[in-house]
């Protein structure tokens, strides 16, 4: 009789131990995935602007940046004449002489670029030029995946490289 009590308490202790280990493993997985998401979704940094305004009556959760705007995000630098930076969505609308440099090798110029920091997609419009050390693409509309370094365009484009001039 005494042995059966010891055996049943051992079974209960083993069951509790297994549950604790499983719970601990689940917590570690959740924390690890949250940390990975936080590393991939860095906030777009406002490094410089001549004028910075916030007016919630015009646009909610946005900052108006005017003059010599300089933004950074991961390995890119964005320079433009003016921009709207949307703080709640990690998105920037950049206007006038917009220039994005990625890893010091890929350059993207346009009159307007909508950049999403979470997806690292740049939607460039009007007088778009994309260049790297080997080629230059000119078009009027380009969606560029900065992370994958892939551009998508639906309009005609001119591509100049060492074999195609």
């Amino acid at each position: 009789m005494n042995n059966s009590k010891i055996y049943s308490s051992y079974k209960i202790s083993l069951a509790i131990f297994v549950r604790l280990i499983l719970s601990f493993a689940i917590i570690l997985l959740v924390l690890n995935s949250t940390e990975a998401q936080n590393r991939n979704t860095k906030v777009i940094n406002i490094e410089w602007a001549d004028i910075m305004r916030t007016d919630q009556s015009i646009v909610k959760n946005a900052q108006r940046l005017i003059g010599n705007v300089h933004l950074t995000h991961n390995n890119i630098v964005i320079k433009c004449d003016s921009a709207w930076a949307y703080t709640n969505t990690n998105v920037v609308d950049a206007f006038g002489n917009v220039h994005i440099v990625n890893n010091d090798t890929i350059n993207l110029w346009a009159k307007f670029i909508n950049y999403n920091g979470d997806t690292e997609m740049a939607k460039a419009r009007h007088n778009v030029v994309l260049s790297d050390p080997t080629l230059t693409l000119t078009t009027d509309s380009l969606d560029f995946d900065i992370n994958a370094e892939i551009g998508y365009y639906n309009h005609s484009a001119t591509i100049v490289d060492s074999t195609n001039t």
Side-chain angles (χ1 to χ4, degrees):
M1 180 97 179
N2 209 4
N3 283 341
S4 66
K5 284 185 181 180
I6 293 172
Y7 180 71
S8 69
S9 69
Y10 174 73
K11 282 175 51 177
I12 293 171
S13 298
L14 185 60
I16 290 172
F17 179 73
V18 169
R19 286 184 185 152
L20 283 173
I21 294 294
L22 287 175
S23 297
F24 184 70
I26 290 170
I27 289 170
L28 282 177
L29 285 173
V30 168
L31 289 175
N32 195 20
S33 68
T34 302
E35 182 181 325
Q37 286 177 342
N38 288 340
R39 274 182 280 161
N40 292 335
T41 57
K42 278 185 159 179
V43 175
I44 299 169
N45 294 313
I46 301 169
E47 302 293 337
W48 177 262
D50 291 341
I51 300 169
M52 186 176 351
R53 294 188 180 143
T54 302
D55 189 345
Q56 298 296 316
S57 66
I58 297 173
V59 179
K60 291 187 183 230
N61 300 314
Q63 293 176 317
R64 180 73 171 131
L65 310 170
I66 302 169
N68 299 308
V69 179
H70 185 115
L71 310 165
T72 58
H73 183 255
N74 295 337
N75 294 323
I76 72 161
V77 174
I78 303 171
K79 294 180 181 180
C80 60
D81 295 336
S82 66
W84 282 99
Y86 305 99
T87 54
N88 62 334
T89 58
N90 206 27
V91 171
V92 169
D93 284 334
F95 301 91
N97 300 314
V98 186
H99 182 199
I100 293 180
V101 180
N102 183 29
N103 291 323
D104 293 329
T105 57
I106 296 177
N107 290 278
L108 176 61
W109 292 274
K111 291 294 178 189
F112 169 81
I113 296 179
N114 169 273
Y115 177 72
N116 185 319
D118 293 340
T119 62
E120 296 191 25
M121 284 294 293
K123 295 180 180 180
R125 304 294 182 263
H126 309 297
N127 301 325
V128 179
V129 177
L130 174 69
S131 71
D132 71 9
T134 61
L135 70 84
T136 300
L137 179 141
T138 306
T139 186
D140 201 51
S141 178
L142 177 74
D143 293 349
F144 187 68
D145 184 332
I146 301 240
N147 196 31
E149 297 182 354
I150 297 174
Y152 307 92
Y153 58 95
N154 292 325
H155 302 285
S156 63
T158 304
I159 299 174
V160 177
D161 62 13
S162 59
T163 60
N164 217 1
T165 57

